[in-house]
Amino acid sequence: MTSIGILGTGRVGSSLARALAAAGHDVTLGHRQPPEQASEPASEPAPEQAETGANSPAEHQIRLADQRLTAATADIVINATPGDTALARLSALATELTGKILIDVSNATRHSPDGLPADLCYPGSSLAEQLQQALPATRVVKTLNTMLFPVVTAPASLSTPPTAYLSGDDAHAKSVAAGLLDDLGWQPGWIEDLGDVTTARATEALVLLVPHVLRRGGFRPFAVSLAR
């Protein structure tokens, strides 16, 4: 069992928490503000009770804490906070993230009036690169940012096998990330290691496809995948 801290309690963070807890990991959800009862099981926005019953084992594996405590106490930290503010937020946690693996699943974009991605915050770079520069004692891995959130924890739900890309400078950290992907249902053949952290600028740029696909086809889960 691995101790995993997830920063961000939105749809991505909450679904990851449920899936990783169900896989047997010890999961803490990190709120922006300290919750009133940080030691109790997550109920909102990670409703294990509503979905699996009040006595579900996964319920007891998810705790709530503020983001600083979450980062300090986890072996692996997942960034599921909004990408446009993640750099400042995580830079402030440099001490807590020292020596940790940081898996970044967000995209740093500015949004159009309809709320969909419009422009990249770091053209010519990437959020993953910016995080690695700001956190030199942390091993950053980029993944799971090229799909709609339902696919993250249910890759087999698509009719065509999806691809999860890995970018990062540390081979061991990428291997650990691949192990967590396996726990989420990602088959080894669906995982593509692109190389060092600079390759994240390519996968982060793929988010610019999302608004065009959604406006034409509506909200239907999809992933930007590699076909061979």
Side-chain angles (χ1 to χ4, degrees):
M1 182 175 66
T2 302
S3 173
I4 299 174
I6 300 175
L7 307 181
T9 57
R11 294 176 298 185
V12 175
S14 297
S15 61
L16 280 169
R18 290 192 294 270
L20 291 171
H25 297 290
D26 183 11
V27 177
T28 301
L29 264 177
H31 282 252
R32 188 175 303 181
Q33 300 296 331
E36 292 181 1
Q37 295 180 317
S39 61
E40 292 198 358
S43 57
E44 181 70 32
E48 288 78 17
Q49 295 181 6
E51 296 193 2
T52 60
N55 296 318
S56 167
E59 169 194 341
H60 302 290
Q61 294 173 330
I62 300 176
R63 292 183 296 276
L64 298 179
D66 65 85
Q67 292 184 354
R68 187 171 298 278
L69 180 61
T70 298
T73 56
D75 299 320
I76 300 168
V77 178
I78 298 175
N79 174 45
T81 65
D84 57 343
T85 59
L87 181 58
R89 189 190 313 276
L90 271 65
S91 294
L93 301 176
T95 298
E96 290 77 12
L97 291 170
T98 295
K100 306 287 179 71
I101 294 173
L102 174 64
I103 299 175
D104 176 35
V105 303
S106 65
N107 285 303
T109 59
R110 299 180 178 88
H111 292 83
S112 60
D114 62 3
L116 295 176
D119 297 305
L120 299 175
C121 291
Y122 306 105
S125 182
S126 65
L127 174 59
E129 291 173 80
Q130 297 297 312
L131 288 171
Q132 188 61 84
Q133 292 172 17
L135 303 166
T138 302
R139 292 169 288 171
V140 176
V141 179
K142 188 81 180 191
T143 192
L144 294 176
N145 64 306
T146 55
M147 63 204 70
L148 294 193
F149 80 91
V151 182
V152 169
T153 56
S157 64
L158 298 182
S159 59
T160 302
T163 303
Y165 305 96
L166 292 174
S167 298
D169 293 337
D170 188 277
H172 174 69
K174 287 190 287 186
S175 176
V176 170
L180 293 183
L181 291 179
D182 179 74
D183 290 339
L184 295 173
W186 289 85
Q187 297 183 20
W190 300 350
I191 301 171
E192 189 78 15
D193 186 342
L194 297 179
D196 66 31
V197 73
T198 64
T199 63
R201 65 183 65 178
T203 59
E204 288 189 26
L206 291 174
V207 74
L208 298 181
L209 285 170
V210 171
H212 307 296
V213 174
L214 293 184
R215 289 185 186 117
R216 290 184 61 85
F219 189 87
R220 297 171 57 192
F222 72 91
V224 181
S225 300
L226 180 65
R228 286 192 171 97

